[in-house]
Amino acid sequence: MKFKAHVEVKLKPGFFDPEGEAAKEALNDLGYNVHNVRISKLYTIELEAQSLDEAKRLVDEMCRRLLANPTKDLYDVEVHPSD
């Protein structure tokens, strides 16, 4: 079966986000009253698995092994059957 996963990886609270800070400053320079910007990455993964549970397990494994650094990152996973 084919599945599609969306994985959002973001910094844990308390970690400095230099990209977010640069975006905030640029937005303020453009005249927007922005107080905070946090950057996250969104991965869209298409994969094959025997079941939805297996697909979720595989994507979680991908996150732990490559996509997210457990020291500084949090991640959220959504998996659903692909069309």
Side-chain angles (χ1 to χ4, degrees), residues 54-79:
E54 181 187 16
K56 288 178 181 179
R57 182 186 61 75
L58 290 170
V59 173
D60 186 67
E61 184 177 299
M62 292 175 200
C63 292
R64 288 184 284 108
R65 294 186 69 194
L66 178 69
L67 302 178
N69 177 339
T71 302
K72 66 177 185 67
D73 294 327
L74 297 172
Y75 62 90
D76 294 312
V77 175
E78 292 181 18
V79 181

mmCIF file of all heavy atoms in Angstrom, residues 54-79:
data_model
loop_
_atom_site.group_PDB
_atom_site.id
_atom_site.type_symbol
_atom_site.label_atom_id
_atom_site.label_comp_id
_atom_site.label_asym_id
_atom_site.label_seq_id
_atom_site.Cartn_x
_atom_site.Cartn_y
_atom_site.Cartn_z
ATOM 1 N N GLU A 54 2.412 0.336 10.172
ATOM 2 C CA GLU A 54 3.794 0.136 9.740
ATOM 3 C C GLU A 54 4.341 1.424 9.119
ATOM 4 O O GLU A 54 5.484 1.808 9.362
ATOM 5 C CB GLU A 54 3.921 -1.005 8.744
ATOM 6 C CG GLU A 54 5.367 -1.211 8.319
ATOM 7 C CD GLU A 54 5.547 -2.214 7.198
ATOM 8 O OE1 GLU A 54 4.573 -2.570 6.504
ATOM 9 O OE2 GLU A 54 6.708 -2.625 6.999
ATOM 10 N N ALA A 55 3.524 2.111 8.321
ATOM 11 C CA ALA A 55 3.955 3.369 7.709
ATOM 12 C C ALA A 55 4.310 4.392 8.788
ATOM 13 O O ALA A 55 5.337 5.071 8.698
ATOM 14 C CB ALA A 55 2.863 3.906 6.783
ATOM 15 N N LYS A 56 3.476 4.505 9.820
ATOM 16 C CA LYS A 56 3.763 5.433 10.919
ATOM 17 C C LYS A 56 5.057 5.056 11.622
ATOM 18 O O LYS A 56 5.865 5.925 11.952
ATOM 19 C CB LYS A 56 2.604 5.440 11.920
ATOM 20 C CG LYS A 56 1.367 6.130 11.400
ATOM 21 C CD LYS A 56 0.243 6.062 12.431
ATOM 22 C CE LYS A 56 -1.019 6.729 11.908
ATOM 23 N NZ LYS A 56 -2.122 6.659 12.882
ATOM 24 N N ARG A 57 5.260 3.769 11.837
ATOM 25 C CA ARG A 57 6.478 3.301 12.502
ATOM 26 C C ARG A 57 7.710 3.628 11.663
ATOM 27 O O ARG A 57 8.721 4.114 12.178
ATOM 28 C CB ARG A 57 6.409 1.791 12.755
ATOM 29 C CG ARG A 57 7.625 1.237 13.484
ATOM 30 C CD ARG A 57 7.610 -0.278 13.590
ATOM 31 N NE ARG A 57 7.622 -0.948 12.298
ATOM 32 C CZ ARG A 57 8.697 -1.059 11.500
ATOM 33 N NH1 ARG A 57 9.845 -0.531 11.873
ATOM 34 N NH2 ARG A 57 8.632 -1.687 10.348
ATOM 35 N N LEU A 58 7.622 3.396 10.361
ATOM 36 C CA LEU A 58 8.749 3.682 9.474
ATOM 37 C C LEU A 58 9.082 5.174 9.434
ATOM 38 O O LEU A 58 10.253 5.563 9.488
ATOM 39 C CB LEU A 58 8.451 3.169 8.061
ATOM 40 C CG LEU A 58 8.430 1.652 7.899
ATOM 41 C CD1 LEU A 58 7.897 1.281 6.525
ATOM 42 C CD2 LEU A 58 9.808 1.059 8.130
ATOM 43 N N VAL A 59 8.062 6.012 9.359
ATOM 44 C CA VAL A 59 8.306 7.457 9.311
ATOM 45 C C VAL A 59 8.895 7.936 10.636
ATOM 46 O O VAL A 59 9.811 8.761 10.656
ATOM 47 C CB VAL A 59 7.023 8.218 8.937
ATOM 48 C CG1 VAL A 59 7.229 9.720 9.049
ATOM 49 C CG2 VAL A 59 6.578 7.854 7.524
ATOM 50 N N ASP A 60 8.403 7.416 11.743
ATOM 51 C CA ASP A 60 8.984 7.771 13.036
ATOM 52 C C ASP A 60 10.454 7.368 13.091
ATOM 53 O O ASP A 60 11.305 8.127 13.575
ATOM 54 C CB ASP A 60 8.195 7.119 14.169
ATOM 55 C CG ASP A 60 8.685 7.576 15.524
ATOM 56 O OD1 ASP A 60 8.504 8.769 15.854
ATOM 57 O OD2 ASP A 60 9.280 6.746 16.252
ATOM 58 N N GLU A 61 10.768 6.202 12.564
ATOM 59 C CA GLU A 61 12.158 5.737 12.519
ATOM 60 C C GLU A 61 13.009 6.676 11.656
ATOM 61 O O GLU A 61 14.140 7.010 12.013
ATOM 62 C CB GLU A 61 12.193 4.317 11.962
ATOM 63 C CG GLU A 61 13.552 3.672 11.946
ATOM 64 C CD GLU A 61 13.480 2.243 11.437
ATOM 65 O OE1 GLU A 61 12.787 1.413 12.070
ATOM 66 O OE2 GLU A 61 14.093 1.972 10.387
ATOM 67 N N MET A 62 12.466 7.114 10.516
ATOM 68 C CA MET A 62 13.183 8.060 9.651
ATOM 69 C C MET A 62 13.505 9.347 10.408
ATOM 70 O O MET A 62 14.602 9.898 10.273
ATOM 71 C CB MET A 62 12.334 8.397 8.420
ATOM 72 C CG MET A 62 12.144 7.275 7.456
ATOM 73 S SD MET A 62 10.990 7.809 6.162
ATOM 74 C CE MET A 62 10.448 6.229 5.530
ATOM 75 N N CYS A 63 12.540 9.807 11.185
ATOM 76 C CA CYS A 63 12.743 11.036 11.958
ATOM 77 C C CYS A 63 13.858 10.854 12.976
ATOM 78 O O CYS A 63 14.747 11.705 13.095
ATOM 79 C CB CYS A 63 11.452 11.440 12.665
ATOM 80 S SG CYS A 63 10.164 11.982 11.538
ATOM 81 N N ARG A 64 13.809 9.751 13.699
ATOM 82 C CA ARG A 64 14.804 9.511 14.740
ATOM 83 C C ARG A 64 16.194 9.280 14.174
ATOM 84 O O ARG A 64 17.189 9.671 14.776
ATOM 85 C CB ARG A 64 14.390 8.330 15.619
ATOM 86 C CG ARG A 64 13.224 8.650 16.544
ATOM 87 C CD ARG A 64 12.872 7.498 17.479
ATOM 88 N NE ARG A 64 12.153 6.444 16.757
ATOM 89 C CZ ARG A 64 12.660 5.262 16.433
ATOM 90 N NH1 ARG A 64 13.883 4.931 16.770
ATOM 91 N NH2 ARG A 64 11.933 4.364 15.771
ATOM 92 N N ARG A 65 16.273 8.670 12.986
ATOM 93 C CA ARG A 65 17.578 8.337 12.406
ATOM 94 C C ARG A 65 18.188 9.449 11.559
ATOM 95 O O ARG A 65 19.410 9.502 11.416
ATOM 96 C CB ARG A 65 17.470 7.072 11.567
ATOM 97 C CG ARG A 65 17.138 5.842 12.413
ATOM 98 C CD ARG A 65 17.168 4.584 11.614
ATOM 99 N NE ARG A 65 18.555 4.290 11.232
ATOM 100 C CZ ARG A 65 18.879 3.412 10.304
ATOM 101 N NH1 ARG A 65 17.944 2.761 9.648
ATOM 102 N NH2 ARG A 65 20.138 3.184 10.017
ATOM 103 N N LEU A 66 17.354 10.329 10.972
ATOM 104 C CA LEU A 66 17.914 11.288 10.043
ATOM 105 C C LEU A 66 17.289 12.683 10.088
ATOM 106 O O LEU A 66 17.994 13.681 10.110
ATOM 107 C CB LEU A 66 17.796 10.745 8.606
ATOM 108 C CG LEU A 66 18.313 11.679 7.511
ATOM 109 C CD1 LEU A 66 19.827 11.795 7.589
ATOM 110 C CD2 LEU A 66 17.860 11.207 6.152
ATOM 111 N N LEU A 67 15.973 12.764 10.083
ATOM 112 C CA LEU A 67 15.309 14.045 9.837
ATOM 113 C C LEU A 67 15.325 15.002 11.025
ATOM 114 O O LEU A 67 15.255 16.211 10.829
ATOM 115 C CB LEU A 67 13.864 13.809 9.381
ATOM 116 C CG LEU A 67 13.704 12.960 8.118
ATOM 117 C CD1 LEU A 67 12.226 12.761 7.800
ATOM 118 C CD2 LEU A 67 14.435 13.584 6.951
ATOM 119 N N ALA A 68 15.387 14.491 12.236
ATOM 120 C CA ALA A 68 15.343 15.345 13.429
ATOM 121 C C ALA A 68 16.501 15.005 14.365
ATOM 122 O O ALA A 68 16.871 13.842 14.507
ATOM 123 C CB ALA A 68 14.017 15.159 14.158
ATOM 124 N N ASN A 69 17.045 16.037 14.975
ATOM 125 C CA ASN A 69 18.086 15.857 15.985
ATOM 126 C C ASN A 69 17.393 15.843 17.345
ATOM 127 O O ASN A 69 16.864 16.862 17.780
ATOM 128 C CB ASN A 69 19.084 17.013 15.890
ATOM 129 C CG ASN A 69 20.165 16.947 16.948
ATOM 130 O OD1 ASN A 69 20.021 16.313 17.974
ATOM 131 N ND2 ASN A 69 21.259 17.648 16.693
ATOM 132 N N PRO A 70 17.380 14.697 18.037
ATOM 133 C CA PRO A 70 16.625 14.605 19.296
ATOM 134 C C PRO A 70 17.105 15.553 20.384
ATOM 135 O O PRO A 70 16.366 15.853 21.311
ATOM 136 C CB PRO A 70 16.804 13.145 19.720
ATOM 137 C CG PRO A 70 18.025 12.683 19.005
ATOM 138 C CD PRO A 70 18.106 13.470 17.729
ATOM 139 N N THR A 71 18.312 16.064 20.272
ATOM 140 C CA THR A 71 18.828 17.007 21.256
ATOM 141 C C THR A 71 18.130 18.352 21.168
ATOM 142 O O THR A 71 17.828 18.976 22.174
ATOM 143 C CB THR A 71 20.348 17.206 21.074
ATOM 144 O OG1 THR A 71 20.983 15.937 21.203
ATOM 145 C CG2 THR A 71 20.910 18.182 22.089
ATOM 146 N N LYS A 72 17.846 18.801 19.931
ATOM 147 C CA LYS A 72 17.322 20.147 19.755
ATOM 148 C C LYS A 72 15.984 20.230 19.033
ATOM 149 O O LYS A 72 15.367 21.284 19.028
ATOM 150 C CB LYS A 72 18.340 21.020 19.014
ATOM 151 C CG LYS A 72 18.595 20.599 17.587
ATOM 152 C CD LYS A 72 19.554 21.566 16.904
ATOM 153 C CE LYS A 72 19.738 21.256 15.441
ATOM 154 N NZ LYS A 72 18.550 21.466 14.641
ATOM 155 N N ASP A 73 15.526 19.145 18.425
ATOM 156 C CA ASP A 73 14.320 19.200 17.591
ATOM 157 C C ASP A 73 13.140 18.425 18.169
ATOM 158 O O ASP A 73 13.315 17.410 18.850
ATOM 159 C CB ASP A 73 14.602 18.612 16.197
ATOM 160 C CG ASP A 73 15.578 19.420 15.387
ATOM 161 O OD1 ASP A 73 15.587 20.659 15.522
ATOM 162 O OD2 ASP A 73 16.333 18.819 14.593
ATOM 163 N N LEU A 74 11.954 18.927 17.840
ATOM 164 C CA LEU A 74 10.698 18.211 18.034
ATOM 165 C C LEU A 74 10.151 17.913 16.648
ATOM 166 O O LEU A 74 10.434 18.640 15.693
ATOM 167 C CB LEU A 74 9.687 19.079 18.774
ATOM 168 C CG LEU A 74 10.034 19.509 20.186
ATOM 169 C CD1 LEU A 74 8.998 20.527 20.681
ATOM 170 C CD2 LEU A 74 10.081 18.301 21.103
ATOM 171 N N TYR A 75 9.365 16.848 16.531
ATOM 172 C CA TYR A 75 8.748 16.581 15.240
ATOM 173 C C TYR A 75 7.334 16.051 15.425
ATOM 174 O O TYR A 75 7.023 15.410 16.417
ATOM 175 C CB TYR A 75 9.594 15.619 14.393
ATOM 176 C CG TYR A 75 9.807 14.245 14.979
ATOM 177 C CD1 TYR A 75 8.919 13.208 14.707
ATOM 178 C CD2 TYR A 75 10.902 13.965 15.792
ATOM 179 C CE1 TYR A 75 9.121 11.941 15.233
ATOM 180 C CE2 TYR A 75 11.116 12.705 16.313
ATOM 181 C CZ TYR A 75 10.223 11.697 16.025
ATOM 182 O OH TYR A 75 10.413 10.444 16.545
ATOM 183 N N ASP A 76 6.490 16.398 14.448
ATOM 184 C CA ASP A 76 5.116 15.920 14.395
ATOM 185 C C ASP A 76 4.944 15.169 13.085
ATOM 186 O O ASP A 76 5.419 15.622 12.038
ATOM 187 C CB ASP A 76 4.121 17.077 14.444
ATOM 188 C CG ASP A 76 4.144 17.819 15.767
ATOM 189 O OD1 ASP A 76 4.101 17.133 16.820
ATOM 190 O OD2 ASP A 76 4.216 19.049 15.767
ATOM 191 N N VAL A 77 4.249 14.037 13.144
ATOM 192 C CA VAL A 77 4.072 13.195 11.972
ATOM 193 C C VAL A 77 2.582 12.978 11.698
ATOM 194 O O VAL A 77 1.832 12.695 12.625
ATOM 195 C CB VAL A 77 4.747 11.820 12.185
ATOM 196 C CG1 VAL A 77 4.472 10.882 11.021
ATOM 197 C CG2 VAL A 77 6.232 11.982 12.410
ATOM 198 N N GLU A 78 2.201 13.122 10.438
ATOM 199 C CA GLU A 78 0.860 12.744 9.969
ATOM 200 C C GLU A 78 1.055 11.791 8.802
ATOM 201 O O GLU A 78 1.815 12.092 7.883
ATOM 202 C CB GLU A 78 0.073 13.961 9.484
ATOM 203 C CG GLU A 78 -0.318 14.926 10.564
ATOM 204 C CD GLU A 78 -1.125 16.098 10.013
ATOM 205 O OE1 GLU A 78 -1.657 15.990 8.884
ATOM 206 O OE2 GLU A 78 -1.204 17.106 10.699
ATOM 207 N N VAL A 79 0.390 10.655 8.845
ATOM 208 C CA VAL A 79 0.486 9.664 7.764
ATOM 209 C C VAL A 79 -0.923 9.289 7.342
ATOM 210 O O VAL A 79 -1.799 9.069 8.183
ATOM 211 C CB VAL A 79 1.239 8.391 8.224
ATOM 212 C CG1 VAL A 79 1.347 7.381 7.091
ATOM 213 C CG2 VAL A 79 2.619 8.741 8.764
#
